[in-house]
Amino acid sequence: QVEVAEFGGGLVQAGGSLNLSCIASASGFDDYVMGWFRRAPGKEREGVACISWSGSYTDYTGGVKGRFTISRDNAENMLYLQMKSLKPEDTAMYYCAAGPSNGAECELESFRFEYWGQGTEVTVSS
């Protein structure tokens, strides 16, 4: 079992940057694919980005490609999300998630992830 906890959310102006972090408390961190999801007010949860166990494969939802970067440090059990050129529509609760690795890639689907954090809030003002 993996426990994950996100931090780094906050209030930022449109066009600004914010970095989210997630720490996982488990041995064998590199047995898991990791992902970031978000839920905007009044909307369904959506996948933002995922990263394979090795970090060699990443996938992003279309709206954040070129602006967000997911990365991981397996030695430190850490997951990161660098967010740049933020837009008001990026405002959401952001969740870190872990799921068992099943190959060299990841899939940005909620059902692939079993362990979820409590979320960290990101607000982008216009």
Side-chain angles (χ1 to χ4, degrees):
Q1 185 159 346
V2 180
E3 292 185 0
V4 294
E6 320 83 343
F7 52 97
L11 173 64
V12 63
Q13 288 188 329
S17 300
L18 203 60
N19 296 326
L20 303 184
S21 299
C22 171
I23 186 166
S25 58
S27 59
F29 178 66
D30 55 4
D31 289 334
Y32 296 90
V33 296
M34 299 297 296
W36 288 100
F37 291 76
R38 67 185 179 187
R39 178 172 294 179
K43 295 188 176 181
E44 299 283 322
R45 183 174 61 191
E46 69 166 339
V48 176
C50 69
I51 188 167
S52 63
W53 70 270
S54 67
S56 63
Y57 180 91
T58 58
D59 193 20
Y60 298 88
T61 190
V64 308
K65 284 183 179 178
R67 299 190 298 121
F68 290 12
T69 302
I70 189 172
S71 61
R72 66 189 293 165
D73 183 341
N74 286 348
E76 299 292 333
N77 284 16
M78 292 293 296
L79 175 73
Y80 304 101
L81 186 68
Q82 295 178 300
M83 305 185 292
K84 299 180 180 179
S85 302
L86 283 160
K87 305 175 181 180
E89 51 263 44
D90 294 317
T91 293
M93 187 71 79
Y94 283 71
Y95 299 90
C96 170
S101 179
N102 190 28
E105 300 183 349
C106 62
E107 294 183 54
L108 200 50
E109 298 286 350
S110 295
F111 71 88
R112 295 292 186 188
F113 296 85
E114 298 180 9
Y115 307 104
W116 296 80
Q118 296 297 308
T120 185
E121 192 165 3
V122 172
T123 303
V124 184
S125 63
S126 57

